[in-house]
Amino acid sequence: METVLDKNIVIDANTSVTSFSWKGDSDALVFDLQGIRNCLHNFESPIIAVREKDGVGVTTSGNLSISEVKKGNVVAWLPPISTSQLGDPSFCETYGVKAAYYAGGMANAIASEELVVALGRSGLMGSFGSGGLSLNRLASAIKTIQSELQGAPYMFNLLHNPFEPDVEQHTVESFLENDVRVVEAAAYIQLTPALIQFRAAGLTSDETGNIEINNHIIAKISRKEVAQLFLSPAPEKILQKLVAVGKITREQANLAGNVPLADDITVEADSGGHTDNQPLVSLLPSIIALRDKLQEQYQFKNPVRIGAAGGISTPESVLGAYMMGAAFVVTGSINQSCVESGASEHTRKLLSQAAMADVSMAPSADMFELGARVQVLKKGSFFPMRAQKLYDLYTTFNGIEEIPITVREDLESKIFNRKIEDIWQDTVAFFEQRNTDQITKAAQNPKKKMALIFRWYLGMASRWSRDGVEERKMDYQIWCGPSMGAFNEWVQGTYLEDHTNRHVDDIAWQLLKGCIYRSRIQGLKLQGLSFPSKLETYYPQLQESLWK
Ligand SMILES: Cc1cc2nc3c(=O)[nH]c(=O)nc-3n(C[C@H](O)[C@H](O)[C@H](O)COP(=O)(O)O)c2cc1C
């Protein structure tokens, strides 16, 4: 590319781009759809729209000059742009990634080692789905990911576990022992000593008093009151307790009082799995405003960045999030349909065929008694309906024996496919290994026993989906948000329609490139150009040979 402007020319700040004249090879001006599309795709070059006799043409080369007397022939102009400019560049610096994007954790290793490694190798971050795994399984994932990535970016999901605080504590200890430096903390409603220990244990200061943060927390939230906890320093009371039991030093506790608890907050709107179904357009600005208020109060050296998740799966939704001020974007549901995900082939195929309206809320296994719900795929599975039936029975009766015998027989033959007594025996065996407290409570309270039996079905339904258990296909519990359907619609007719071609890293880069393409269209539109709608959509086309 030649010099766009002669450096000696002084231009008034109010000068419109329409005062510029373009000079170049007229063959370089394109007027046809494919030619214009190619120019828009050429992100490394500026894009210049020029009025000629035959209409407005577009080019990426030539010279611009300015005339004080007459109007030039340039109608619009955009500079080159790269994916690393999207969002907040400091996100890329902190985590050593090439773009402000990450793939969120998906429990039970659905966000698998392969998923995290594929993203890490392409310069992006994925959060390993630690939730629901044993400590041994987690340790093996840490080992694999670290040895495969050799310093490339990755993170681990850290789930708040109010019912089993030991699990959270041991998970954090495993992270600290194995040098896991970035966690995606989720499901917190209150702060725990384990989480604060992770943060404080990574704080050091140099001789000038500069605080270095070595253990990073990206906190996923959907409520303001929880966001506030992460936008503030760790509570003094918990820090002092950690010092008293020797988990952190007094110096680390002091340093923790001067930094926010999290480096980043992911604002999660209407998503797959646990969700408050909030619209991103409302929630994101509200949390950004809260961050600004608390930053004003605390004056942290590095303000907490705010990113966006929930419903992000097309170039337009990625661009929309960045334009609303998201420092980074996060995807979830779409990654479950990819080759690297831990979900079974049947589940990935079902996901790739889902439309936006094919999702619904269903009772959740982990907080069943509290009435918590998760967003799941309803097409191709009876799970949402069956889980709801169990929840309705739970709220109507005080124990399994109270349920009329005909209904119980129906449950055994139509939903459980097993005798209730056998399920109870399995449940006892499960909790004897994990949490005997649950069995003691169930022995004293028939309603609790009924909840545990029903939770067996809800828990197994996720496992059947992950493992691809053939005879339980109609019971698969598949967490999924409307973002899945939006993605499927976008990639229809391209190689990404087929789930066996979906790779987490490719999808991420397609979204980011599509976002830039879309931003260029919008940038030119703001300068008065209009485009045929056919040109406005970016289609995935990295692997040209796979185009249909
Ligand atoms: C199958 C599945 C499992 C998930 N499990 C977890 C989890 O264990 N921990 C977590 O923080 N988020 C979990 N999420 C949420 C994702 O990390 C991500 O924030 C969310 O899916 C983004 O919204 P989207 O589904 O609209 O893309 C899960 C999502 C899905 C679809």
Side-chain angles (χ1 to χ4, degrees), residues 63 86 348:
N63 286 316
L86 297 169
R348 289 189 284 114

Side-chain angles (χ1 to χ4, degrees), residues 104-107 110 131 157 159 184 186 220 268 270-273 309-312 330-334 336 479-481 483:
M106 292 185 285
I110 290 177
N157 196 217
L159 278 185
E184 182 197 26
K220 199 177 320 168
E268 190 175 61
D270 193 13
S271 69
I312 295 177
V330 181
T331 55
S333 295
I334 56 171
Q336 190 182 193
W479 289 8
C480 174
S483 54

Side-chain angles (χ1 to χ4, degrees), residues 59-73:
T59 183
T60 56
S61 63
N63 286 316
L64 296 186
S65 60
I66 187 155
S67 155
E68 282 177 19
V69 282
K70 65 176 181 70
K71 201 166 175 331
N73 60 353

Side-chain angles (χ1 to χ4, degrees), residues 392-412:
D392 292 344
L393 290 171
Y394 173 75
T395 51
T396 312
F397 297 101
N398 287 319
I400 206 98
E401 282 77 24
E402 250 191 36
I403 301 175
I405 182 76
T406 50
V407 179
R408 262 188 282 162
E409 282 168 2
D410 254 17
L411 288 182
E412 290 180 329

